[in-house]
Amino acid sequence: MFFFALAVDLTAITVLSYVLYFRRHGRRDLVLAYVALNVGIFAVVSMLTQQEVGLAVGFGLFGVLSILRLRSDLISQGEIGYYFVAIALGLVNAVAAPTPWLMVGLNALLLSALYLAGHPKLLARTQRRIMTLDVVHEDPVALRQDLEGRLRGRVRHVDVTEVDYVRDLMVVDVRFQEPKLTQVPGPSAERRQPMPAWWGDR
């Protein structure tokens, strides 16, 4: 069962790191991080379960890893989601190795949820910006109108994180919805104008 669980884990982390993450975000260094983290978790938890060490040790390891922060570089909240699923896959495949159908089902559940939640077309028009304005708005309505004019979209939520009256600026965290793109006919469309009625008599 160990080698079958290892094969399932390697397949799952390949799908997560390359198919789901790299093809969408294109960051190679995190592919290595996700694979190394997943395989390391799988190896350690497999050893603990075979040595009959309490599963509390494995889940304690999961808790320790879940609070780690990579100080050398910043990662987004979305990339943290991939990070947690990579840990969960290693744990699931190591602990559920004696029950192959449960293991495969949990892998499919985790990968499917990550695929759907991170799909580029899901809420694609909803965006977030951290903006520094060169003016201080006391009126929330004026602030919202100014942001909508700058972003050319509908502001859904605004958090003012900093106000500096000395330099006359403010920093805001904005969640907004981009407008729908209107398709403008190009030169090729203009050339495909219908022929006049009299042209067919010639």
Side-chain angles (χ1 to χ4, degrees):
M1 287 298 179
F2 171 78
F3 292 103
F4 177 73
L6 177 60
V8 171
D9 184 66
L10 293 177
T11 302
I13 193 60
T14 301
V15 172
L16 181 145
S17 59
Y18 178 74
V19 178
L20 297 183
Y21 178 75
F22 182 76
R23 293 182 65 182
R24 289 179 178 176
H25 304 279
R27 187 169 173 180
R28 183 178 179 274
D29 57 337
L30 284 183
V31 172
L32 174 61
Y34 294 145
V35 173
L37 180 66
N38 171 267
V39 175
I41 290 288
F42 177 84
V44 171
V45 176
S46 296
M47 182 191 67
L48 292 178
T49 53
Q50 290 182 4
Q51 295 296 324
E52 297 184 355
V53 179
L55 288 180
V57 177
F59 286 103
L61 177 63
F62 175 83
V64 170
L65 289 172
S66 66
I67 62 175
L68 287 178
R69 292 288 294 177
L70 302 179
R71 299 295 182 182
S72 59
D73 199 1
L74 295 176
I75 58 177
S76 67
Q77 296 298 318
E79 290 167 337
I80 292 176
Y82 288 93
Y83 174 83
F84 278 115
V85 174
I87 296 176
L89 286 173
L91 277 173
V92 165
N93 292 321
V95 173
T99 53
W101 291 110
L102 176 62
M103 177 180 61
V104 173
L106 290 175
N107 277 263
L109 174 64
L110 288 169
L111 293 175
S112 299
L114 195 62
Y115 171 79
L116 294 175
H119 199 280
K121 293 185 179 180
L122 180 65
L123 303 176
R125 293 170 53 206
T126 302
Q127 303 292 332
R128 174 177 180 253
R129 295 285 188 276
I130 304 295
M131 301 182 63
T132 301
L133 304 180
D134 56 353
V135 61
V136 176
H137 290 286
E138 298 289 348
D139 184 7
V141 177
L143 172 60
R144 184 178 292 268
Q145 291 175 348
D146 184 12
L147 291 172
E148 289 182 347
R150 295 172 186 263
L151 296 171
R152 301 184 183 278
R154 178 173 175 267
V155 174
R156 304 179 64 91
H157 183 75
V158 181
D159 280 329
V160 179
T161 59
E162 182 181 349
V163 176
D164 190 335
Y165 288 101
V166 176
R167 293 182 293 172
D168 196 25
L169 59 85
M170 63 191 309
V171 181
V172 293
D173 183 351
V174 189
R175 321 292 166 85
F176 68 100
Q177 189 173 16
E178 293 180 335
K180 293 182 179 180
L181 297 177
T182 56
Q183 187 173 4
V184 179
S188 59
E190 295 177 358
R191 289 195 297 267
R192 292 193 298 267
Q193 296 295 329
M195 294 294 180
W198 56 266
W199 184 263
D201 299 333
R202 299 187 58 179

